[in-house]
Amino acid sequence: IVKKLFELSIPEISDGTIEIMGVSRDAGSRTKIGVVATKPNLDPKGACVGISGARIKQINAALNGERIDIFEWSDDPIKLIAEALTPAKVISVLLNEEEHKSVVIVPDQQFSLAIGKRGQNARLAVKLTKWKIDIKTIDDALREGIRYETLSDVKYRYAAPVVEEEVYVAPVVEETKVEVTPVEEVVTP
């Protein structure tokens, strides 16, 4: 039902410019929806929210005030998990790919927001991402000796490499001396 409401209310979804990659829902309470743009330079989240929130308010009203979290989907599991825990601000995501588990570090004051009421935010994120998610505060991580990099460090490390421009160095050519013989001045009468 949520997918259909988005298709009816958001032209970019109905025309395929934005795709819904996943929906996770506690009916009557909260929905999380991951979207991705199929065209460059299009903000899929912004398009779904609409100007002054007009589009999302229409969907929200149709769902009797159900809270809707929209986030940008990513094939990168670190970004996906961080985004899926919206509205919480994630500092770091550590992956154990063998066990399909993650440890997420959030600021101490964001912990309850990341978990959500009765664990709802975390539960919906797990259902949507298909990753087990263990949420810890910075203090918890320090106490447990968990070493982590912030998301901004990880983004920087995996950013496109800087390609240095090749500098063309002209070969050294021996100087040759050219003798210039003076031309006699021609005087015109």
Side-chain angles (χ1 to χ4, degrees):
I1 188 169
V2 173
K3 226 176 182 180
K4 194 64 176 170
L5 281 171
F6 271 78
E7 288 170 3
L8 293 171
S9 303
I10 303 165
E12 292 87 349
I13 290 178
S14 58
D15 73 12
T17 307
I18 295 175
E19 287 183 31
I20 296 174
M21 301 302 290
V23 177
S24 157
R25 182 175 186 228
D26 275 349
S29 180
R30 187 177 204 152
T31 293
K32 285 192 170 287
I33 184 164
V35 293
V36 68
T38 59
K39 291 186 178 178
N41 302 322
L42 175 64
D43 173 15
K45 183 177 175 179
C48 290
V49 171
I51 297 171
S52 300
R55 290 177 173 179
I56 199 65
K57 285 176 185 172
Q58 182 181 355
I59 296 167
N60 188 267
L63 294 171
N64 296 321
E66 186 172 307
R67 179 159 170 89
I68 302 169
D69 297 327
I70 303 169
F71 68 92
E72 193 166 347
W73 189 269
S74 176
D75 291 331
D76 175 353
I78 291 174
K79 287 173 84 174
L80 177 64
I81 293 166
E83 287 290 322
L85 286 168
T86 295
K89 305 291 182 231
V90 172
I91 292 175
S92 185
V93 178
L94 306 166
L95 299 179
N96 178 336
E97 294 190 45
E98 272 182 26
E99 298 179 25
H100 217 62
K101 290 182 181 179
S102 67
V103 174
V104 175
I105 312 294
V106 297
D108 295 10
Q109 65 275 17
Q110 293 275 310
F111 184 74
S112 59
L113 188 60
I115 296 292
K117 193 176 191 178
R118 294 184 306 272
Q120 184 182 54
N121 193 50
R123 188 174 54 256
L124 291 174
V126 166
K127 185 177 173 186
L128 202 51
T129 64
K130 311 277 191 280
W131 280 83
K132 293 176 186 167
I133 300 173
D134 183 11
I135 301 171
K136 298 189 179 291
T137 65
I138 294 172
D139 284 346
D140 291 338
L142 289 171
R143 212 175 7 265
E144 295 176 29
I146 298 171
R147 298 178 69 195
Y148 63 89
E149 293 178 314
T150 66
L151 289 177
S152 58
D153 290 338
V154 173
K155 285 178 189 174
Y156 177 75
R157 192 174 71 200
Y158 293 108
V162 176
V163 179
E164 292 186 28
E165 291 182 28
E166 287 185 34
V167 178
Y168 175 75
V169 179
V172 176
V173 179
E174 287 184 35
E175 277 188 39
T176 55
K177 287 188 176 183
V178 177
E179 284 189 39
V180 178
T181 52
V183 178
E184 291 181 27
E185 274 188 45
V186 177
V187 181
T188 50

